[in-house]
Amino acid sequence: MDRILVMRSFVTVAKVGSFSGAAKQLGTSGSLISRHVADLEKQLGVHLVNRTARSVSLTEPGLRYSEFAQRILDEIDSEDARIAELHDRPEGPLSIICPKWIGGLDLGDAIAAFSVAHPKIAVRFELGGMSDRTYDFLDSGFDVAFHTRDLRDSSVRLKRIASLPFVLCASDSYLTRHGLLTDPNDLSNHDCLVHVNDPVWRIGHGHSSTLHKIRNIAFQSNSYIALHKAAVHGRGIALLPSRSAYDDLVDGRLRVLLPELPVPSRSLYAIYGPAAQAPRKVEVFLAYLTKWFAENPLPVFDESMRSVQ
């Protein structure tokens, strides 16, 4: 027995004074309303209504119970309305998680700008600690998670936020010792700086692109920051996010390799709960970030931008 449904049927009968009238108001049948009241009487062990051919009246226990049930239903309806209102307002707590390397790039700036623009949303932004299982961020209390994998998982929803450019690069000191990389197939002859989650590098775009499993790993890390530092110090060739490498490319501490075969960008995705309609604060957040990245693109680097050393 659905206690709330039965209580609502009984309260409606008490208001209109008939099973047929209650049925009409609730959009159901009189026989179902009569059964609900009978089930409630059986549950409570008392008669709640006096039935006659023309009307229904409440017994003393029925009157008391109808007042009690009305209070309960009013509280439920009121709380439902408050929850729905919160869902539809861009305010309240918003918890976000992403891998450390993403959070250390533009995403951190974008989320900080969002927090300033929407002070009624209390942002909690954590870097790292993400599980390989797509939906674990929801179980951990997060509303949104970011990553660069194109998911096919019905347990979450996915929105593409931006494109993150990458660059294949090395320092002049390394290239002086080991020579220029003139063909992607020659990566096996060079020291490579590899992210633990990115052991296969795609070089070039479209049908002309090639995949290269890096075997000559000179330095490995789960941090692009560490790989970046190793590249600047001349340890080897690295595949880095362009945002983090940009200043060093301009200043000459790093050099783009195989500029005629640029490496593909990676899509930045936001994943969030599977509900048909996301909370308004999540919708506003994702729309803001999409616009922020569109309005703050990374300048395209070319050799003419390099500082004179």
Side-chain angles (χ1 to χ4, degrees), residues 61-134:
L63 178 61
R64 178 171 177 173
Y65 193 81
S66 70
E67 293 173 350
F68 161 76
Q70 185 65 68
R71 289 197 305 272
I72 296 298
L73 294 173
D74 285 346
E75 287 191 23
I76 291 173
D77 291 342
S78 178
E79 188 63 24
D80 285 350
R82 283 195 292 268
I83 294 298
E85 187 179 3
L86 286 174
H87 185 278
D88 293 335
R89 287 204 310 257
E91 60 182 64
L94 179 67
S95 296
I96 307 154
I97 189 170
C98 75
K100 290 181 179 180
W101 74 269
I102 297 177
L105 301 177
D106 304 54
L107 185 60
D109 291 324
I111 293 176
F114 169 81
S115 184
V116 172
H118 294 273
K120 290 187 177 181
I121 296 179
V123 173
R124 169 191 171 200
F125 182 32
E126 291 197 12
L127 278 59
M130 294 184 67
S131 166
D132 290 335
R133 292 191 297 181
T134 305

Side-chain angles (χ1 to χ4, degrees), residues 104-217:
L105 301 177
D106 304 54
L107 185 60
D109 291 324
I111 293 176
F114 169 81
S115 184
V116 172
H118 294 273
K120 290 187 177 181
I121 296 179
V123 173
R124 169 191 171 200
F125 182 32
E126 291 197 12
L127 278 59
M130 294 184 67
S131 166
D132 290 335
R133 292 191 297 181
T134 305
Y135 51 82
D136 272 5
F137 74 98
L138 293 171
D139 295 336
S140 299
F142 292 95
D143 300 296
V144 181
F146 287 95
H147 59 76
T148 56
R149 289 179 294 146
D150 188 1
L151 298 172
R152 294 290 182 268
D153 191 332
S154 61
S155 64
V156 294
R157 298 176 68 188
L158 177 146
K159 179 178 174 63
R160 185 179 182 277
I161 300 297
S163 180
L164 301 178
F166 273 64
V167 62
L168 189 69
C169 57
S171 70
D172 280 337
S173 63
Y174 172 82
L175 297 174
T176 298
R177 298 194 312 272
H178 296 270
L180 282 173
L181 177 68
T182 57
D183 188 292
N185 291 318
D186 290 339
L187 281 169
S188 59
N189 299 320
H190 282 270
D191 295 339
C192 294
L193 318 179
V194 179
H195 194 285
V196 294
N197 294 326
D198 193 24
V200 178
W201 293 356
R202 181 179 291 276
I203 309 296
H205 283 283
H207 297 299
S208 63
S209 68
T210 53
L211 291 174
H212 300 270
K213 182 174 177 58
I214 305 304
R215 302 187 185 281
N216 187 14
I217 301 175

